[in-house]
Amino acid sequence: MKMITDTNFVKIFLFSIAIFSTFTSFSQENETKDKKISFSGSIDAYYKTNLSASDKILQSPGTSFANETGFALGMANAIVAYTTEKTGAVADLVFGPKGDEASGGYQINQLYAYWNVTDDIKLTAGRFNTFLGYEVISPTANFNYSTSYLFSYGPFSHLGLKADFSLTEELSLMLAFMNVTDVNNNMTGAYSFGAQLGYSGQYLNFYYDNKASLGFEIDYTGGITVTEDFYLGINAAYQDNDGIGFYGAALYPQLATTENLTMGLRGEYFVENGAYGAIGTDVEDASVFALTLTASYNIENLTIKPEIRLDSASDDAFLDRDATSSKNLSSFLIAAIYAF
């Protein structure tokens, strides 16, 4: 029997690896045509101080998130998505103060499965972020780090079933049947309906739950690309639940000054309709005008956002440095957001 020399053994070993690698690559290539798994997410943290008030007294604008002073955490966001030719699933997990507030302590921002019935019809079931409003929960998708009153008073997420229809290349329609807004366990038997009509990047949104929670809300979200470097975002909404609700509008002009630096301003006017009480008092029709100037500087996957915010309310909703009632609150923060 002829012995295999070291040289021959190496040749056979390398040849076997080549054959195996080719077969594995071919199998993976065929598999990825039908299946694909992806991982993404973000982390964010910030430093904040009040300019017109003492940081020893915890106070902030009546909006969600970024409400701590000193160094503080936002959230860690981990997203796993699995897709095949016709179906897919997304698990979007959140941890940290912002994640707790956004998810109601579930640590689940989104969790849904979908089916592309045709090229123009998509069904989605599970928990998904709201279709209303200009801003979202994830800091990677918002230009300003702090959030608006319109975002904070409206829905965060929904649990139910929705159907997306692509009517033409520019015209879309979404219809949804859900629990009432931000309810994970339906203990009341109440449900809500949602709809969205979109045309060329402009969206008209509707929500209705027969006074079970939010009541009724109509919302417009869109924007205009004025030039290659200048964009103007727009959001307006009206909500009512048996005479109590809110309405307002916000503009988001954004100017790209360099390849890595963009400047943006959010100007918002917001009114509590009826004795809502969330701005800081129980005065009927309390209102607030808020200006937020944000710079966004990108370094690879890291975004640094210094921000100055001025909130001016119609009544004494805040405290100044002497702990005296005040209509105004100014603050500064700088946030670091890393997306992966």
Side-chain angles (χ1 to χ4, degrees):
M1 183 174 181
K2 187 176 179 181
M3 299 293 293
I4 298 177
T5 64
D6 290 342
T7 303
N8 289 333
F9 178 81
V10 171
K11 289 180 180 179
I12 294 173
F13 180 71
L14 293 176
F15 178 76
S16 300
I17 290 178
I19 294 296
F20 178 77
S21 299
T22 302
F23 176 78
T24 303
S25 176
F26 178 76
S27 299
Q28 289 178 344
E29 183 179 351
N30 285 341
E31 185 178 0
T32 55
K33 289 181 180 179
D34 300 323
K35 302 177 181 178
K36 182 179 180 181
I37 189 167
S38 63
F39 300 90
S40 60
S42 66
I43 59 172
D44 63 287
Y46 63 95
Y47 171 82
K48 179 184 174 184
T49 184
N50 288 321
L51 303 177
S52 63
S54 172
D55 290 345
K56 295 180 180 179
I57 302 174
L58 182 61
Q59 63 173 321
S60 63
T63 55
S64 300
F65 314 147
N67 289 329
E68 303 293 329
T69 53
F71 291 100
L73 298 176
M75 70 180 188
N77 187 200
I79 305 171
V80 181
Y82 186 80
T83 60
T84 61
E85 184 179 356
K86 289 287 187 179
T87 63
V90 173
D92 181 353
L93 307 180
V94 287
F95 306 92
K98 184 189 293 186
D100 290 340
E101 185 177 350
S103 67
Y106 267 61
Q107 276 68 58
I108 298 175
N109 183 28
Q110 302 185 95
L111 187 67
Y112 60 85
Y114 62 88
W115 173 27
N116 295 314
V117 182
T118 69
D119 291 340
D120 300 321
I121 301 176
K122 178 180 179 181
L123 298 178
T124 302
R127 179 186 173 100
F128 43 86
N129 287 160
T130 186
F131 51 93
L132 293 99
Y134 185 88
E135 300 178 19
V136 297
I137 293 172
S138 172
T140 62
N142 291 334
F143 185 84
N144 305 100
Y145 186 73
S146 66
T147 57
S148 67
Y149 287 88
L150 288 170
F151 166 81
S152 303
Y153 278 56
F156 281 179
S157 299
H158 308 281
L159 183 58
L161 175 68
K162 66 174 181 175
D164 291 280
F165 304 91
S166 296
L167 304 179
T168 68
E169 287 188 3
E170 295 186 335
L171 183 64
S172 65
L173 174 67
M174 187 279 295
L175 300 175
F177 179 63
M178 310 161 291
N179 290 349
V180 297
T181 173
D182 297 297
V183 170
N184 294 304
N185 294 322
N186 189 340
M187 302 295 291
T188 64
Y191 292 92
S192 66
F193 299 90
Q196 179 186 79
L197 184 64
Y199 181 77
S200 190
Q202 316 302 311
Y203 299 95
L204 189 60
N205 307 301
F206 302 90
Y207 172 90
Y208 177 75
D209 63 21
N210 194 28
K211 302 180 182 180
S213 178
L214 197 64
F216 167 76
E217 182 175 353
I218 182 171
D219 168 274
Y220 164 71
T221 302
I224 303 169
T225 301
V226 181
T227 68
E228 184 178 350
D229 298 324
F230 182 65
Y231 177 79
L232 178 63
I234 307 168
N235 185 207
Y238 174 85
Q239 179 264 328
D240 179 77
N241 191 355
D242 201 18
I244 297 177
F246 65 83
Y247 61 88
L251 295 176
Y252 299 80
Q254 297 163 15
L255 178 65
T257 56
T258 67
E259 182 179 355
N260 298 327
L261 179 63
T262 301
M263 302 295 296
L265 180 70
R266 177 179 60 213
E268 180 182 22
Y269 179 69
F270 182 85
V271 179
E272 292 177 342
N273 189 27
Y276 205 115
I279 285 180
T281 70
D282 291 327
V283 176
E284 286 199 26
D285 301 331
S287 65
V288 62
F289 178 69
L291 283 175
T292 306
L293 178 63
T294 306
S296 182
Y297 184 74
N298 298 316
I299 310 169
E300 296 180 342
N301 290 10
L302 176 66
T303 302
I304 300 173
K305 294 195 175 189
E307 181 174 288
I308 295 178
R309 176 166 177 161
L310 309 174
D311 289 70
S312 180
S314 60
D315 53 278
D316 294 336
F318 310 110
L319 298 174
D320 61 19
R321 289 193 172 277
D322 298 324
T324 303
S325 296
S326 174
K327 296 180 180 181
N328 304 305
L329 179 67
S330 59
S331 58
F332 168 80
L333 68 78
I334 182 167
I337 305 163
Y338 195 91
F340 55 88

